Amino acid sequence: MAALADPALRPVVRTFFDEETFTATHVVHDPATMKAAVIDSVLNYEASSGRTKHGSAQKVVDYVRETGLEVEWQLETHAHADHLSAAPWLQEQLGGKLAIGADIRRVQDVFGKIFNAGTEFARDGSQFDHLFQDGDTFSVGSIPAIALHVPGHTPADMAFVIGDAAFIGDTLFMPDYGTARADFPGGDARMLFRSIRRLLSLPAETRLFLCHDYKAPGRDVFAWETTVGAERAHNVHVHDGVAEDDFVTMRSARDRTLSLPSLIMPSVQVNMRAGHLPEPEENGVSYIKVPVNRL
Ligand SMILES: [Fe+2]
């Protein structure tokens, strides 16, 4: 990671914020080659009607075309539980290899059981074009990148460090808001703390781009970019000096007060399939299941 923070390796980042799910989709590109990656896209979903829409993803398509970018990657930091991924739709429009962390197979195994998916649902990650292992290197145009396994929120979370910018998914939030929850199936607060400390060992000037923002008390605007230095100094849950055991106690107590995301049922069933709807039934219609008294 020696190349990090080299000003010549400073990708351009444009963020699209989906206010329905509080999700930040980042389009990152290398200004020298105009090659790009799309990170954590959103497929709009209306739960009451079961309708999908492409308004949020279309903004990404318009921007990529207007700017003249060539998309190399559709990256997912993890299988999101609060919004559906638009990655397969964006791939049709813009291209790029659809990739996620290799431990998605564990997530597929857990949720495949919870939703009683049939044998047609492969638990081997084969719905994705590429599975990243911890430490795998890749590139966006001429900018070197590395994939880091940062489990805790889910077992499969990845962070993507691209030049001087790190896309850290659901690990840290803005310093005034704290950290991601760790109580989903396969989540672990102690693992999350260790993953966060690993991210915070990046150079202080590293730009951090978050997956979500919910505004913090006293802050009126959404925000999704900070730095390692700012998180180490000010993060309300994990600033420098917070001990692992104290974090685990705080995180676990806070998680017990949180309700599940309103879109968790459709999100998980779609995202464990790399953003594809469940296989249609004989009548050609896809259905979303709700396991009663299970989650
Ligand atoms: Fe998440």
Side-chain angles (χ1 to χ4, degrees):
M1 289 194 278
L4 271 168
D6 179 340
L9 301 175
R10 196 175 160 87
V12 176
V13 182
R14 172 72 187 269
T15 299
F16 296 84
F17 194 78
D18 177 66
E19 292 200 12
E20 277 174 18
T21 61
F22 309 100
T23 303
T25 298
H26 306 291
V27 182
V28 47
H29 81 264
D30 168 21
T33 61
M34 302 303 270
K35 302 269 176 72
V38 178
I39 302 173
D40 289 335
S41 59
V42 175
L43 178 70
N44 305 112
Y45 183 78
E46 188 180 77
S48 56
S49 62
R51 283 246 161 226
T52 60
K53 291 187 181 141
H54 298 102
S56 291
Q58 185 65 50
K59 289 181 191 162
V60 171
V61 172
D62 293 346
Y63 166 74
V64 165
R65 291 197 176 134
E66 280 160 18
T67 314
L69 304 180
E70 186 187 327
V71 174
E72 295 186 303
W73 294 99
Q74 303 282 350
L75 300 176
E76 297 285 349
T77 55
H78 62 295
H80 309 277
D82 57 356
H83 68 275
L84 284 65
S85 167
W89 186 80
L90 282 172
Q91 189 176 39
E92 276 173 34
Q93 313 293 314
L94 301 171
K97 276 191 279 191
L98 208 177
I100 200 166
D103 277 4
I104 187 64
R105 294 177 289 221
R106 290 178 53 200
V107 174
Q108 290 178 324
D109 199 44
V110 168
F111 284 108
K113 285 194 183 95
I114 289 175
F115 288 100
N116 199 27
T119 49
E120 78 284 354
F121 172 56
R123 275 89 156 162
D124 59 0
S126 55
Q127 302 87 344
F128 297 85
D129 301 315
H130 185 77
L131 298 179
F132 283 111
Q133 304 279 353
D134 183 47
D136 280 352
T137 56
F138 63 109
S139 63
V140 176
S142 60
I143 300 182
I146 186 165
L148 302 177
H149 183 214
V150 288
H153 171 63
T154 79
D157 282 61
M158 300 300 288
F160 302 109
V161 185
I162 303 172
D164 78 324
F167 300 85
I168 60 173
D170 286 3
T171 50
L172 291 159
F173 293 136
M174 289 300 284
D176 59 4
Y177 195 85
T179 55
R181 66 194 297 173
D183 61 334
F184 292 151
D188 185 303
R190 193 167 297 280
M191 241 182 338
L192 178 63
F193 181 87
R194 292 175 185 180
S195 294
I196 286 171
R197 289 319 306 183
R198 191 173 176 214
L199 289 172
L200 294 181
S201 72
L202 291 165
E205 61 275 23
T206 307
R207 291 183 288 162
L208 299 180
F209 291 89
L210 318 178
C211 186
H212 294 293
D213 184 56
Y214 307 94
K215 295 177 180 168
R219 173 157 60 82
D220 280 342
V221 290
F222 290 112
W224 47 76
E225 179 180 349
T226 180
T227 63
V228 165
E231 295 281 19
R232 289 184 63 165
H234 304 299
N235 187 287
V236 292
H237 294 169
V238 281
H239 58 80
D240 283 358
V242 173
E244 181 172 310
D245 285 343
D246 292 338
F247 173 81
V248 170
T249 302
M250 178 284 303
R251 189 66 262 175
S252 308
R254 184 169 155 80
D255 286 349
R256 280 192 289 274
T257 71
L258 302 176
S259 49
L260 289 177
S262 57
L263 293 181
I264 189 170
M265 298 298 177
S267 298
V268 171
Q269 287 171 82
V270 167
N271 295 340
M272 73 183 189
R273 295 175 165 91
H276 295 284
L277 296 174
E279 198 62 26
E281 299 195 3
E282 319 77 71
N283 60 0
V285 178
S286 287
Y287 290 83
I288 300 289
K289 287 184 185 176
V290 176
V292 177
N293 294 331
R294 177 63 183 82
L295 282 182

